[in-house]
Amino acid sequence: MSYVVVDVESDGPIPAEFSMVCFGAVVFDDRLDRTFYGRTRPISDQFVPEALAVSSFSREQHMAFDDPKAVMENFAAWLDQHSKGGPIFVSDNLAFDWQFINYYFHRFRGRNPFGFSGRRIGDLYAGLVKDASKATEWKKYRVTAHTHNPVDDAKGNAEALKKFKEFGLRI
């Protein structure tokens, strides 16, 4: 199995009523050089301007992005090519990121290659240091800046996971 760190940017709080704007993924390994970037045009007329602004795209730009079905098919093919066994979804904010990826995979491909579970980085760290109150402290181990470009953010999160390995976490 391969751990795949994923980050999502959206134009609202939930899938179906709002849309995924873009997402990035990186296979967790020593190099962190196998990445995927997808930009999906809206699937809904609704959007929250402040949420969309986080991604630095305008609504007009978002409207011109790629067909979500094609993006999800390309992502599934990328996962097949770069994963050994079933991919394991890993994210900073699992409850947010996974819901969009899961919804889009089911809507546009009929199934989610990640299955129905994932790992939240903060929980891994809290368990590693044996203190649930430290669930956000792990972010200090990112090397790549948190820019809201989802590939940068996924890579920074993966870099923190590499540090966890130095502390004894088996991944």
Side-chain angles (χ1 to χ4, degrees), residues 120-135 169:
R120 182 175 167 268
I121 298 169
D123 293 336
L124 292 172
Y125 183 78
L128 184 63
V129 299
K130 298 178 179 25
D131 186 343
S133 71
K134 304 285 187 196
L169 183 66

Side-chain angles (χ1 to χ4, degrees), residues 53-91:
V54 169
S55 68
S56 299
F57 293 112
S58 69
R59 181 66 172 177
E60 293 74 29
Q61 289 171 309
H62 188 197
M63 295 293 288
F65 287 174
D66 299 322
D67 173 56
K69 181 174 178 50
V71 174
M72 299 316 287
E73 287 173 353
N74 290 338
F75 187 34
W78 181 86
L79 287 168
D80 285 344
Q81 179 183 359
H82 294 287
S83 295
K84 294 180 179 136
I88 305 295
F89 192 98
V90 181
S91 168

Side-chain angles (χ1 to χ4, degrees), residues 73-146:
E73 287 173 353
N74 290 338
F75 187 34
W78 181 86
L79 287 168
D80 285 344
Q81 179 183 359
H82 294 287
S83 295
K84 294 180 179 136
I88 305 295
F89 192 98
V90 181
S91 168
D92 172 6
N93 187 348
L94 183 67
F96 181 82
D97 297 326
W98 186 85
Q99 71 174 326
F100 277 94
I101 296 295
N102 182 58
Y103 178 82
Y104 274 66
F105 265 135
H106 278 282
R107 177 169 174 177
F108 297 109
R109 295 204 70 247
R111 72 175 203 83
N112 180 353
F114 289 107
F116 293 98
S117 65
R119 308 291 183 274
R120 182 175 167 268
I121 298 169
D123 293 336
L124 292 172
Y125 183 78
L128 184 63
V129 299
K130 298 178 179 25
D131 186 343
S133 71
K134 304 285 187 196
T136 59
E137 186 179 274
W138 68 271
K139 295 178 182 189
K140 67 185 178 186
Y141 297 113
R142 289 176 173 150
V143 177
T144 301
H146 187 255

Side-chain angles (χ1 to χ4, degrees), residues 20-23 36-41 57 61-62 64-68 71 150:
M20 184 162 56
V21 176
C22 55
F23 65 96
F36 184 90
Y37 179 60
R39 299 187 318 175
T40 59
R41 73 172 166 252
F57 293 112
Q61 289 171 309
H62 188 197
F65 287 174
D66 299 322
D67 173 56
V71 174

